[in-house]
Every structure is written in structure tokens, then in C-alpha cells.
Amino acid sequence: MRILELDNIHAYYGDSHVIQGLSLYVDKGEAVSIIGRNGVGKTTTLRSIMGLTPPAQGTIKINGEDSTKWTTNKVVTKGHVAYIPAERHIFPGVTVEENLRIAERKSKKNDQWNLDLIYNKFPILAERRKQDGATLSGGEQQMLAIGRGLMSNPSIMILDEPSQGLAPLIVETVVDTIKQLCKDQTLTLILVEQNYHVAMDLASRHYLMEIKGKIACDMSSQECQEDLDKLIKHLGV
Ligand SMILES: Nc1ncnc2c1ncn2[C@@H]1O[C@H](COP(=O)(O)OP(=O)(O)OP(=O)(O)O)[C@@H](O)[C@H]1O
Ligand SMILES: [Mg+2]
């Protein structure tokens, strides 16, 4: 079942036509990545889904419902989507705990996240609960951003470059955490990554994006593995 569908979307910043006819889909419980070089439109695609840069043309459907014109708030509350931007947007001047509480949203489901469960999953956040969120290390901030996303009890989690700026060992921890969250396939994951090792580790299907949001193809992790040259050439690494 399709949980997310983008059909021929076009997005602009002012006069700049940055996404020119992008289509993709994600099935419920799937983990999908979007990979491509700098500036091809990966973040803009995520922003379009979130209603932050709504598409001028085309349709977006969440759970089969047309969400193209939904506000960001509606995408979060009705679409059950959590977005973790690359910049993480930890609120400065408030504690780790307040950062988590701000996002709390009770769900009717039994499997809902709460502060205790988050602290259980991320002991480092429990240790630092009284600390100003802005003073955490990069890896800790990423954990906090993910924890905060989970507090809204999402069905879809969207992560923009979770490995960006983190040391390899910390990337491993973050990857392990995300993997665990997706293990039972109740959470759908959409991931943007330039680190293709991380993308292949976390997602099972990968959209290769070219300039202006053009999708060259989608490949399974196995196909990527068998054709690493194509992937590396695509990423220009
Ligand atoms: N606020 C903005 N105003 C004008 N142009 C923008 C804005 N944000 C992004 N762009 C442009 O839109 C295009 C797509 O940007 P986007 O951030 O979606 O790319 P990206 O694939 O996420 O890149 P990166 O890998 O560097 O994060 C780029 O050419 C970028 O310069
Ligand atoms: Mg980006």
C-alpha cells in the first residue's frame, strides 16, 4: 500500500524552477532513500512533502489523501509525518527535556512514544535532560532531533542527511538507532543521504536524483551493490 506518492511535482524558489516533474512513491513500512549530488533538489523535495515549499504543480498524496495544499501543521498532525531537517533545529536556551516535550502529541494507538520510552531508547538524552539542547554534541543533537520527531508518534519519518557532520563512530550509533526504529516496519522511512554506505545500510530502495529533481531510476540495495560504479558516478564521489 502506498503511504506516500508524488506525481509530477514542480517546485520553485521565486522564479527559480528547481524541481521539474518529480514522481516517486513509498510503500507503508518501506525504507527509501533519495541520493544525488549537491543542489539537485533533495531537500526541496522533502520541503514540498512537508508543505514548506509547496509544489506549484503536481500532486502529493499521503495515505491516499491529496495533501498537496496541506499546511505543515496538517502534514504533521493528520499525515503523521515527522521531519528531521539536516540542520536539526534544536531549540536553543531550553533543556533537552523541553525540546522533547514541545513535540509531544498523543496518539490513539497503543504503541505511542512518550518521554520515558525516548529516554529508554536514548540513555544519553536522559543523562542530559536538564542541559541546554544547543550545548549537545552533533551526534547527541541528532539523537535529540530523532527523539523529538518520535514524540509526535509519526507513521512516516523523513530524515535529511542524518550522517552529515558526524564522526564515523557516531554515524554508526545513529544508523543503529534508526535501524532499530524501522525493525518492525511500523515506521516508514524516507532518507536523503550523500553517504551511500549509510543510504544502503538503512534503506532497501534508492531513488537516484539528477539535476532539477529528475529521477534517473530507482534501485534496490542489491542492484546498487552490483553496480557500485553507476552509483559512484551518479554521486560524483
Ligand atoms: N531558499 C532558496 N532560495 C533560492 N534557491 C534555493 C533555496 N534553497 C535551495 N535553493 C536552490 O534550489 C536547488 C535545490 O536545492 P536543494 O537544497 O533542494 O538541494 P539538495 O539536493 O538538498 O542539495 P544538498 O545536497 O547541497 O543539500 C539548488 O540549486 C539551490 O541553490
Ligand atoms: Mg539538501
Side-chain angles (χ1 to χ4, degrees):
M1 186 215 143
R2 303 276 189 262
I3 197 165
L4 179 74
E5 273 182 281
L6 275 59
D7 183 22
N8 195 27
I9 68 160
H10 290 254
Y12 295 78
Y13 291 110
D15 292 335
S16 183
H17 189 180
V18 299
I19 302 285
Q20 303 186 358
L22 161 71
S23 300
L24 61 79
Y25 70 88
V26 182
D27 281 332
K28 194 169 188 308
E30 239 194 330
V32 163
S33 87
I34 301 172
I35 47 192
R37 295 183 192 202
N38 287 120
V40 293
K42 303 180 297 294
T43 298
T44 307
T45 304
L46 304 184
R47 291 179 57 85
S48 287
I49 298 168
M50 294 312 298
L52 291 162
T53 305
Q57 285 175 58
T59 0
I60 301 178
K61 283 186 184 164
I62 299 175
N63 261 317
E65 263 194 275
D66 190 338
S67 67
T68 319
K69 298 207 159 54
W70 285 5
T71 60
T72 304
N73 188 45
K74 195 165 173 186
V75 174
V76 173
T77 54
K78 190 174 160 84
H80 303 281
V81 185
Y83 173 48
I84 294 129
E87 308 78 24
R88 297 167 194 141
H89 294 170
I90 301 305
F91 304 115
V94 299
T95 63
V96 165
E97 186 147 318
E98 282 161 326
N99 263 279
L100 290 169
R101 280 199 191 281
I102 286 164
E104 188 166 15
R105 201 171 60 80
K106 298 264 192 302
S107 100
K108 291 188 198 78
K109 294 182 286 181
N110 296 326
D111 56 344
Q112 61 174 265
W113 287 94
N114 57 40
L115 212 49
D116 286 344
L117 286 175
I118 298 287
Y119 284 153
N120 207 306
K121 176 72 75 198
F122 306 96
I124 190 73
L125 298 183
E127 256 174 59
R128 319 235 155 185
R129 66 208 294 166
K130 301 272 176 257
Q131 194 171 322
D132 182 338
T135 64
L136 298 184
S137 73
E140 290 162 356
Q141 287 200 18
Q142 186 61 52
M143 296 295 193
L144 177 54
I146 294 172
R148 195 177 56 189
L150 291 171
M151 285 294 275
S152 70
N153 285 296
S155 308
I156 304 175
M157 182 134 131
I158 298 183
L159 285 158
D160 196 354
E161 309 219 25
S163 74
Q164 194 181 61
L166 303 182
L169 218 58
I170 310 297
V171 171
E172 248 176 67
T173 315
V174 172
V175 166
D176 284 345
T177 309
I178 299 169
K179 260 192 194 161
Q180 274 185 42
L181 295 174
C182 298
K183 208 171 48 194
D184 60 3
Q185 298 192 326
T186 51
L187 192 66
T188 303
L189 183 74
I190 301 162
L191 174 81
V192 161
E193 258 303 335
Q194 295 211 40
N195 179 337
Y196 65 90
H197 298 289
V198 170
M200 283 164 65
D201 209 6
L202 282 176
S204 53
R205 198 158 58 81
H206 312 274
Y207 283 102
L208 268 49
M209 187 177 279
E210 288 176 346
I211 191 148
K212 312 247 179 244
K214 301 230 167 67
I215 300 291
C217 61
D218 69 324
M219 294 167 90
S220 68
S221 291
Q222 194 183 339
E223 285 167 333
C224 290
Q225 199 64 260
E226 286 164 6
D227 204 349
L228 265 185
D229 286 349
K230 179 174 175 176
L231 197 67
I232 289 167
K233 200 166 148 216
H234 177 81
L235 283 166
V237 288

